Amino acid sequence: SPLTAVFDSRHSPLMKVDPGALREQPPEPALTTNRVEPRGATKDLGGYSRTSVEELEGRYVCYRPMFSNPDIINAYEVTIRWDEKRASLLFEEHNRSDSSHAQLGQVYIPDGRPFMSLVTIDKGAVRVIMVTRPDHLGVARGIMLTLSNPGGTHFIPATAPIVLQRLNEASPQVGFVHPEAPDYNMYFAQLNSVAP
């Protein structure tokens, strides 16, 4: 018979094996894995991919005039980052003096237009910041549409010029910035370029 016995250490037959099966077999072909492309934002957000918006990620100082007193500037930090779960850019506000009004929302970027909108929708309330994409200096200029609360339970629609300026190493002045503060003139000049 062409079968050969294979013995254990006591030389008792365990099983019969075809000698041809003991010859070296060619390696099995490597399994190919289909590369999964990362998901992009849904069409209602602008249908953007992460690679097309990577340069927008980072930390910014955001500033605008206060509604109650336009001579005072409200400045705080904003972080824009990619969120895998939502497959879109998110923004989040930090270091606000009026921390109860801090926002977290999604970034809408219309295809082929040099604008982006930072949108918060909460229990039917909508706040929109529409700004240009940051320029070569990392500055994005635009307008905010929200509700102002002049007192009690009274709310009115309000708009204001707004600027987002990319942060590198510097720590910006945040909080309620008064005319005598060191960064006031720079903030004021940028806001004046949006709405003189």
Side-chain angles (χ1 to χ4, degrees):
S1 162
L3 295 177
T4 305
V6 176
F7 297 91
D8 70 6
S9 58
R10 293 175 306 232
H11 302 290
S12 60
L14 294 173
M15 59 185 247
K16 304 229 172 188
V17 178
D18 182 348
L22 297 176
R23 290 191 203 106
E24 194 171 319
Q25 297 292 321
E28 294 210 9
L31 293 175
T32 57
T33 56
N34 291 333
R35 204 175 120 164
V36 178
E37 290 298 320
R39 290 186 309 143
T42 57
K43 285 185 181 178
D44 63 321
L45 292 168
Y48 54 84
S49 67
R50 182 172 190 181
T51 54
S52 69
V53 296
E54 275 180 330
E55 76 280 358
L56 300 175
E57 293 185 73
R59 290 173 55 237
Y60 297 81
V61 60
C62 176
Y63 44 93
R64 63 165 175 84
M66 289 187 63
F67 295 125
S68 58
N69 183 351
D71 290 333
I72 300 172
I73 294 171
N74 189 4
Y76 47 89
E77 290 184 44
V78 171
T79 302
I80 297 177
R81 63 179 174 80
W82 183 262
D83 181 79
E84 290 291 347
K85 186 176 176 184
R86 293 180 179 89
S88 71
L89 288 175
L90 293 186
F91 75 93
E92 186 171 8
E93 298 174 351
H94 309 277
N95 299 325
R96 284 188 64 152
S97 293
D98 52 350
S99 59
S100 63
H101 297 293
Q103 306 277 316
L104 168 68
Q106 288 183 282
V107 180
Y108 291 67
I109 304 175
D111 187 33
R113 297 185 188 123
F115 290 91
M116 60 182 184
S117 297
L118 284 59
V119 180
T120 307
I121 302 174
D122 181 36
K123 298 174 187 156
V126 179
R127 190 197 75 173
V128 178
I129 294 174
M130 185 184 293
V131 292
T132 60
R133 288 195 186 209
D135 62 18
H136 66 288
L137 298 174
V139 178
R141 298 172 181 86
I143 195 164
M144 167 193 269
L145 172 62
T146 188
L147 291 174
S148 175
N149 178 217
T153 58
H154 186 60
F155 287 86
I156 58 171
T159 62
I162 197 163
V163 173
L164 274 72
Q165 187 166 351
R166 185 180 291 280
L167 292 174
N168 296 317
E169 299 293 320
S171 294
Q173 182 173 0
V174 294
F176 299 135
V177 183
H178 293 262
E180 63 275 8
D183 287 341
Y184 183 87
N185 288 337
M186 185 270 289
Y187 287 171
F188 182 82
Q190 290 282 13
L191 289 168
N192 201 48
S193 72
V194 178

